[in-house]
């Protein structure tokens, strides 16, 4: 019987309203006991003194580029990047080549991830065939094959009747729609419509493109009873729409990317194409509204939208592939909010663990006795630099490249096995 004790750490588990110095006993991959000063002579010990211990992080929004674009990332490199960031469960998006619109691609992803055994990789299936927005994929077959959600992420589903039918099927299957909200007739440019687009003469992405889709899909969720999760929320009016629908009892949740809480459109002046992302970095007033919504609890979870691209795809802002890597940087970016007093440590952990697991209906994000022993142990104050030596992604497209970051994962444990150890 394999036994491990995580000793002396400061445990934060919002799922149990538990916060304080505790030991955790793990037996055969599950949590056996949480108590003070657990003593089991034959158990292996991890001393977490001075460190924060939490349930393993869950990310509902990751791009692994596998199959089809593995020069950017693949399941192995993405998984190693994930556990270095504290994530034991990640949901990969279907905008691959071929897309995740058939059971064979689902089985490929699940099989490769299981063979690697690094972190839990769960596929989201495409809503439409080829992600072309014309005809529904076989959502029943995709769910049976192992998909945990449906989305055409990277592209909106513009056809209202098609999206309504997808929501009706999602209700039947008791699953969730992950919703990329950008009206593609309005969201066609490179950067946010505003000061920077005018200054640089760049094509614009109208923020109303996001708000219109949030409103439409909130209305459809109201009429269908579907669970709808709004991806990468960025606008101040979008926050108000989410509040409205939640108050009406609509089953709507949302995520925010730490980049949208950290940077504004002005980052394009400093980082160029590495700050180009869809939806784009917005104005300071939008960033402040997002921070307020995180503080007040209207935004449910953090999600990295980890989107790796090769250097040649990030040469010019106007033509660059949109996206920023984020699995290894999400924790230090979120910890900046904790240090600034925006959120408590408990709220931070909640947004990385129990909330994303709840959105997906998964039994993770908790350290309740009997749960899988997925654990993230991190140092709030450890400083490090994201560079060629520390970066585990195949790509490096981020404004944080070469910057000093504060907050580092020290251990990541999946089902009782150490899958990442710092240095």
């Amino acid at each position: 019987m394999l036994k491990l004790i995580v000793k002396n750490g400061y445990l934060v588990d919002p799922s149990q309203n538990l916060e304080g110095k505790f030991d955790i006993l793990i037996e055969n991959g599950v949590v056996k006991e949480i108590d003070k000063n657990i003593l089991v002579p034959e158990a292996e010990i991890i001393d977490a003194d001075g460190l924060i211990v939490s349930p393993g992080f869950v990310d509902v929004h990751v791009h692994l580029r596998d199959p089809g674009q593995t020069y950017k990332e693949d399941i192995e490199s993405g998984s190693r990047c994930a556990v270095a960031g504290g994530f034991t469960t990640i949901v990969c998006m279907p905008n691959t080549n071929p897309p995740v619109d058939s059971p064979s691609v689902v089985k490929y992803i699940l099989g490769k991830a299981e063979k690697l055994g690094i972190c839990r990789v769960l596929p989201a299936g495409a809503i439409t065939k080829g992600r072309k927005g014309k005809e529904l994929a076989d959502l029943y077959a995709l769910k049976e094959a192992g998909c945990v959600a449906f989305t055409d992420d990277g592209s909106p589903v513009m056809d209202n009747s098609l999206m309504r039918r997808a929501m009706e099927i999602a209700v039947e299957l008791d699953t969730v729609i992950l919703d990329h909200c950008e009206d593609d007739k309005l969201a066609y440019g490179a950067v946010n419509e505003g000061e920077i687009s005018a200054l640089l003469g760049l094509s614009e992405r109208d923020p109303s493109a996001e708000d219109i889709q949030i409103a439409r899909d909130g209305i459809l969720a109201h009429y269908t009873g579907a669970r709808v999760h709004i991806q990468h929320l960025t606008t101040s009016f979008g926050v108000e729409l989410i509040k409205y629908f939640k108050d009406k009892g609509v089953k709507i949740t949302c995520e925010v990317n730490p980049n949208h809480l950290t940077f504004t459109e002005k980052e394009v002046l400093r980082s160029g194409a590495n700050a180009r992302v869809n939806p784009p970095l917005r104005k300071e007033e939008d960033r402040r509204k997002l921070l307020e919504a995180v503080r007040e609890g209207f935004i449910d979870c953090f999600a990295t939208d980890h989107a790796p691209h090769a250097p040649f795809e990030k040469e010019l802002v106007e033509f660059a592939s949109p996206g920023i890597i984020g699995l290894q940087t999400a924790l230090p970016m979120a910890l900046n909010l904790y240090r600034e007093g925006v959120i408590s440590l408990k709220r931070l952990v909640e947004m990385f663990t129990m909330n994303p697991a709840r959105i997906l209906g998964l039994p993770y994000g908790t350290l309740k006795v009997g749960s899988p022993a997925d654990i993230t142990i991190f140092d709030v104050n450890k400083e490090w630099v994201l560079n060629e030596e520390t970066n585990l992604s195949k790509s490096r497209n981020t404004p944080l490249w070469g910057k000093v970051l504060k907050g580092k994962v020290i251990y990541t444990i999946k089902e009782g096995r150490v899958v990442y150890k710092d240095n």
Side-chain angles (χ1 to χ4, degrees):
M1 183 178 290
L2 299 175
K3 297 182 180 181
L4 173 67
I5 301 176
V6 177
K7 289 193 73 68
N8 305 318
Y10 188 84
L11 176 62
V12 181
D13 184 358
S15 74
Q16 304 182 75
N17 199 26
L18 195 59
E19 189 168 353
K21 202 157 188 177
F22 291 94
D23 295 350
I24 304 171
L25 173 62
I26 299 161
E27 288 188 7
N28 292 332
V30 302
V31 178
K32 182 72 172 178
E33 182 183 2
I34 297 176
D35 208 342
K36 307 280 187 179
N37 196 30
I38 297 174
L39 298 174
V40 179
E42 67 272 26
E44 181 183 346
I45 303 293
I46 290 179
D47 187 359
D49 187 35
L51 304 175
I52 306 300
V53 178
S54 83
F57 295 171
V58 178
D59 193 344
V60 302
H61 192 165
V62 173
H63 298 271
L64 294 182
R65 311 303 190 197
D66 190 355
Q69 294 181 312
T70 53
Y71 65 93
K72 303 184 186 194
E73 198 79 282
D74 58 32
I75 292 170
E76 180 172 0
S77 63
S79 295
R80 295 193 185 284
C81 200
V83 295
F87 295 94
T88 52
T89 301
I90 58 176
V91 177
C92 60
M93 297 297 103
N95 57 338
T96 50
N97 186 22
V100 187
D101 64 356
S102 68
S104 60
V105 182
V106 178
K107 290 173 183 176
Y108 163 80
I109 293 169
L110 290 172
K112 189 170 180 180
E114 184 176 359
K115 184 177 180 180
L116 289 166
I118 301 168
C119 84
R120 195 175 291 108
V121 178
L122 305 175
I127 293 175
T128 65
K129 291 181 179 180
R131 295 178 49 258
K132 294 180 179 179
K134 302 298 183 184
E135 183 181 357
L136 286 183
D138 189 340
L139 306 186
Y140 299 95
L142 290 172
K143 174 70 183 294
E144 181 67 23
C147 287
V148 297
F150 298 120
T151 180
D152 271 4
D153 182 50
S155 302
V157 178
M158 292 299 298
D159 187 311
N160 296 340
S161 62
L162 207 61
M163 182 57 111
R164 178 174 179 131
R165 182 59 186 143
M167 289 190 189
E168 291 169 343
I169 295 172
V171 172
E172 290 179 40
L173 296 174
D174 190 24
T175 191
V176 62
I177 298 290
L178 309 179
D179 198 359
H180 180 109
C181 289
E182 281 193 301
D183 184 315
D184 62 11
K185 298 297 188 294
L186 292 169
Y188 52 82
V191 298
N192 184 53
E193 180 184 54
E195 176 186 352
I196 302 306
S197 63
L199 179 66
L200 299 179
L202 295 172
S203 58
E204 302 169 336
R205 294 183 88 82
D206 185 341
S208 70
E210 183 172 333
D211 302 333
I212 288 168
Q213 291 294 97
I214 292 172
R216 182 202 70 171
D217 292 337
I219 292 168
L220 291 178
H222 166 74
Y223 282 105
T224 61
R227 290 155 49 206
V228 174
H229 176 73
I230 306 302
Q231 297 178 298
H232 40 49
L233 181 66
T234 69
T235 70
S236 56
F237 191 55
V239 171
E240 295 300 322
L241 289 167
I242 297 291
K243 290 180 181 179
Y244 173 82
F245 287 119
K246 286 193 173 192
D247 287 344
K248 291 293 183 183
V250 175
K251 297 173 185 175
I252 192 167
T253 55
C254 62
E255 69 189 44
V256 67
N257 184 327
N259 290 297
H260 288 107
L261 297 173
T262 303
F263 303 117
T264 69
E265 59 187 351
K266 292 182 179 180
E267 187 61 31
V268 175
L269 298 175
R270 290 181 286 269
S271 299
N274 279 335
R276 184 182 171 187
V277 60
N278 290 347
L281 302 174
R282 302 289 189 189
K283 298 178 180 179
E284 175 63 13
E285 63 193 67
D286 294 299
R287 189 184 78 89
R288 289 187 179 279
K289 188 71 172 182
L290 292 173
L291 289 171
E292 178 185 311
V294 168
R295 182 189 299 113
E296 295 178 354
F298 289 105
I299 293 178
D300 297 272
C301 69
F302 296 121
T304 67
D305 192 8
H306 177 79
H309 293 293
F312 73 87
E313 296 169 314
K314 281 288 193 179
E315 290 180 352
L316 295 172
V317 175
E318 187 71 40
F319 307 106
S321 298
I324 297 172
I325 59 172
L327 284 166
Q328 286 181 256
T329 57
L331 175 62
M333 294 174 86
L335 282 170
N336 284 338
L337 305 182
Y338 163 65
R339 278 186 282 269
E340 292 164 5
V342 175
I343 54 174
S344 66
L345 192 58
K346 181 181 176 183
R347 171 76 171 134
L348 180 151
V349 172
E350 175 186 285
M351 292 182 69
F352 273 126
T353 60
M354 65 173 280
N355 281 5
R358 172 182 53 82
I359 288 164
L360 296 167
L362 297 174
Y364 310 122
T366 180
L367 291 175
K368 292 178 181 177
V369 171
S371 299
D374 295 351
I375 301 175
T376 299
I377 304 173
F378 58 94
D379 186 336
V380 171
N381 296 311
K382 182 169 183 177
E383 293 187 344
W384 61 289
V385 176
L386 184 68
N387 55 26
E388 296 288 357
E389 184 178 331
T390 58
N391 178 46
L392 298 182
S393 172
K394 287 186 176 182
S395 298
R396 51 180 290 176
N397 51 300
T398 171
L400 295 174
W401 189 262
K403 303 291 196 303
V404 176
L405 306 175
K406 192 171 183 180
K408 186 78 170 65
V409 173
I410 307 302
Y411 290 93
T412 304
I413 299 168
K414 176 181 173 286
E415 296 178 357
R417 184 171 62 90
V418 175
V419 288
Y420 174 79
K421 181 180 180 181
D422 183 47
N423 295 329

